[in-house]
Amino acid sequence: PEGNMTLEIYTDSKCTSISTDFDYENYIVKRYVERYEAYSYWYGYDYGYNLGVAAAEKYRNAIAIWNEKMSVFKVCQPCRAYNLFAEEEDGNNSRDRHRRRHRFLGE
């Protein structure tokens, strides 16, 4: 969908061409395997791989949560419309004592 963040491996300096050979999750797993290769004797052969898979899943979930939380801002409206907190204010004029209610976006 439009406006969502993703994690990709790009093959050019302008980040316009996404790699078809290598994805972000494989990149993370490969880096963890390389980093923890020396520790495989103590922690087991799959130690770096398991850490890499867990890290890749953590990043994937974080990006999914980011996209979900930011979806409210993907509606084109004037910037003043983005008051996400319901508030009540007393008017400064003591004569009319009116109350204004600021509403959530979309209400």
Side-chain angles (χ1 to χ4, degrees):
E2 289 293 317
N4 283 343
M5 279 186 16
T6 60
L7 297 171
E8 301 290 346
I9 303 296
Y10 292 92
T11 57
D12 63 336
S13 62
K14 293 184 181 182
C15 297
T16 57
S17 180
I18 297 174
S19 173
T20 57
D21 303 332
F22 210 51
D23 66 357
Y24 185 77
E25 291 180 16
N26 289 333
Y27 172 79
I28 292 292
V29 171
K30 180 182 177 194
R31 291 291 177 214
Y32 272 82
V33 168
E34 290 172 354
R35 180 175 179 162
Y36 291 101
E37 186 174 11
Y39 301 103
S40 64
Y41 177 76
W42 292 282
Y43 296 115
Y45 179 74
D46 290 337
Y47 183 68
Y49 176 80
N50 291 336
L51 285 177
V53 169
E57 184 176 351
K58 182 178 178 180
Y59 289 128
R60 188 175 358 100
N61 290 339
I63 293 296
I65 290 170
W66 171 271
N67 287 330
E68 177 187 340
K69 298 295 183 188
M70 295 303 286
S71 65
V72 69
F73 295 104
K74 295 175 188 172
V75 177
C76 187
Q77 294 189 27
C79 294
R80 282 183 83 171
Y82 288 107
N83 183 2
L84 301 180
F85 303 101
E87 303 169 353
E88 289 188 3
E89 285 183 15
D90 287 327
N92 291 332
N93 189 345
S94 61
R95 192 177 66 203
D96 59 356
R97 297 257 179 209
H98 71 280
R99 295 173 74 83
R100 294 186 304 172
R101 175 142 173 89
H102 299 283
R103 303 185 65 84
F104 285 99
L105 178 67
E107 286 187 351

